[in-house]
Amino acid sequence: MAIDYTDFFNGDIKWAQLAERYTFDEILEETSRLYDAVYDLLESTTDAAIAYIPHDPDAHDKAAETEAEQHVGWSIGHVVAHLTATNEETFLFASLLARGIVQGGRVRVEAPWEDIDTVEKAIQRLEESRRIVFSYAEAMPDQPRLDVLRSFGSEKAAAYFGEINAKASMLMGLTHHREHIDQIAKVKQQAEAALVTA
């Protein structure tokens, strides 16, 4: 059964309420589906499309190193680096929370996106991430703790994210992943059209 994100994306519920609707097994099935969806997009494109920097008038990356880079579109390689890092972080938090460990701060490592410039490299990063994510899920106990919540550094962050237990943490990554699938598809379409006419 695929996860229905409608209420979440409409702003009617937070991750905790979405998580209550699904089992760990259903969340892991969704994880496989989302990784497969990105794999299918990567497998059916070209190296040039992976490295292509798209025109994106809405680009605004607050984490970019320079002001100029904040408004540059993301290549497919960049999106793959970003979404895989987020999944790994949220699943690592899930593994810790499920074992009763309260963890704050960030535990994120993002691969250098500039290095992901071929189909082979993008698929390697995707499949490496899939292995890492599922290893964090395997590290959970048979009876995961759902009463242990993630600690946030500010009241503002806590209010925004809501209560995040192990299942909700996994879904944080997956909702983010799902949004970026559409981005990859759009960049791929733009890249392939531009490269044909170049």
Side-chain angles (χ1 to χ4, degrees), residues 31-176:
T31 305
S32 285
R33 273 192 291 273
L34 293 181
Y35 272 91
D36 288 346
V38 175
Y39 181 91
D40 291 344
L41 288 168
L42 298 177
E43 187 183 40
S44 60
T45 194
T46 64
D47 291 347
I50 295 290
Y52 178 82
I53 304 295
H55 172 68
D56 182 358
D58 299 321
H60 183 65
D61 179 9
K62 291 183 286 189
E65 292 185 14
T66 69
E67 173 70 25
E69 290 175 333
Q70 287 185 10
H71 304 288
V72 174
W74 285 11
S75 68
I76 293 172
H78 195 157
V79 180
V80 169
H82 176 75
L83 77 83
T84 54
T86 299
N87 281 348
E88 289 157 27
E89 180 180 36
T90 56
F91 273 68
L92 173 55
F93 272 123
S95 176
L96 294 170
L97 294 168
R99 287 180 281 144
I101 301 168
V102 177
Q103 176 70 40
R106 302 298 302 268
V107 289
R108 179 187 183 84
V109 177
E110 187 165 314
W113 65 267
E114 299 90 345
D115 295 344
I116 303 175
D117 56 1
T118 67
V119 171
E120 181 180 8
K121 290 176 184 177
I123 288 176
Q124 183 278 328
R125 172 79 279 264
L126 185 76
E127 293 306 304
E128 177 181 58
S129 178
R130 188 197 301 253
R131 176 180 56 78
I132 290 169
V133 159
F134 276 91
S135 72
Y136 289 143
E138 283 292 319
M140 293 183 189
D142 292 341
Q143 299 297 324
R145 293 277 301 271
L146 293 177
D147 60 323
V148 179
L149 304 178
R150 184 170 166 183
S151 173
F152 292 99
S154 71
E155 289 183 13
K156 182 179 179 181
Y160 173 77
F161 291 112
E163 294 186 343
I164 300 295
N165 65 13
K167 284 201 297 183
S169 186
M170 296 163 82
L171 285 170
M172 283 177 73
L174 298 185
T175 54
H176 175 264

